[in-house]
Amino acid sequence: MIDPEYCVALAEYNRWQNESLLNVSEKLKPGELEEDKKLFFGSMAKTWNHIIMMDLSWLDRFHSRPIQKLDFQEMQFSNLTELKKLRAELDSTISEWVKTITSEWLTQDLKFYSYMYKKEITLPIWLLIAHFFNHQTHHRSQISTALLQSGLDYGVTDIPWNPFYPKSR
């Protein structure tokens, strides 16, 4: 079981990693963000788009809203500048939202429709929150590998070195 503090810590970790990888991406050659790097979604741009689309979908589910964007292939940005702005706004939204999460809410179940499996699913919210953050990490690892293959060092990714998380209490 996770707690609200876990949610805040992982939101800040994800913000840090998204910002770091996107800053390193500024060193890519023109067109390289969109180049097919043989990632699960092909390019780094399409991988970032997938992360964004899934974040938006899960946020809709967590807020008991209908999913607003159902075309999961539709690109949400056209260049790195737009991507950085969109990702920063989304990370800010996530960081503010997790501060409202309660232990009681985390113990509840969430019933949702899975577009991937084409059926209703009910799972504990705490498990879905863990998946929400793990999903970003999973796909960022593909992006960091593509950056490394392009000769770019993306830096430290370890959670304890997250500059946003309080070091002592």
Side-chain angles (χ1 to χ4, degrees):
M1 176 61 147
I2 65 172
D3 63 16
E5 186 176 1
Y6 168 90
C7 300
V8 171
L10 267 286
E12 293 307 318
Y13 170 75
N14 278 324
R15 176 200 306 255
W16 171 49
Q17 286 301 292
N18 290 334
E19 187 178 292
S20 294
L21 290 181
L22 288 168
N23 286 340
V24 169
S25 296
E26 291 178 344
K27 298 174 186 172
L28 290 167
K29 296 173 191 151
E32 198 169 3
L33 188 69
E34 297 78 21
E35 185 180 303
D36 186 354
K37 296 284 191 177
K38 308 297 184 218
L39 305 178
F40 189 79
F41 293 98
S43 69
M44 288 181 273
K46 288 181 180 177
T47 302
W48 278 115
N49 194 68
H50 171 74
I51 295 168
I52 288 167
M53 293 300 289
M54 293 303 99
D55 283 357
L56 292 170
S57 296
W58 280 111
L59 286 172
D60 285 341
R61 288 174 176 141
F62 293 140
H63 287 93
S64 302
R65 302 183 296 236
I67 293 179
Q68 297 170 31
K69 296 184 183 242
L70 289 173
D71 182 355
F72 298 118
Q73 305 305 314
E74 180 186 350
M75 292 300 286
Q76 302 301 302
F77 54 89
S78 60
N79 57 50
L80 183 59
T81 301
E82 288 180 12
L83 168 56
K84 287 180 75 171
K85 182 177 186 277
L86 178 58
R87 187 69 254 178
E89 289 169 357
L90 187 51
D91 286 338
S92 181
T93 297
I94 292 168
S95 291
E96 290 305 310
W97 166 64
V98 295
K99 293 174 187 171
T100 70
I101 291 176
T102 65
S103 296
E104 295 75 29
W105 183 72
L106 288 169
T107 66
Q108 297 175 23
D109 286 340
L110 179 67
K111 183 178 182 179
F112 63 96
Y113 182 78
S114 168
Y115 290 90
M116 181 178 203
Y117 297 108
K118 310 278 189 256
K119 67 179 184 177
E120 291 274 335
I121 297 175
T122 303
L123 289 168
I125 289 174
W126 70 264
L127 181 65
L128 296 171
I129 293 283
H131 167 71
F132 175 73
F133 289 118
N134 188 56
H135 179 262
Q136 276 198 40
T137 301
H138 165 67
H139 288 296
R140 273 196 315 266
S141 70
Q142 296 167 354
I143 294 167
S144 64
T145 298
L147 289 170
L148 188 62
Q149 291 170 345
S150 294
L152 299 175
D153 180 3
Y154 50 83
V156 176
T157 62
D158 297 329
I159 290 174
W161 284 266
N162 177 359
F164 297 107
Y165 192 72
K167 301 289 186 231
S168 62
R169 299 183 185 192

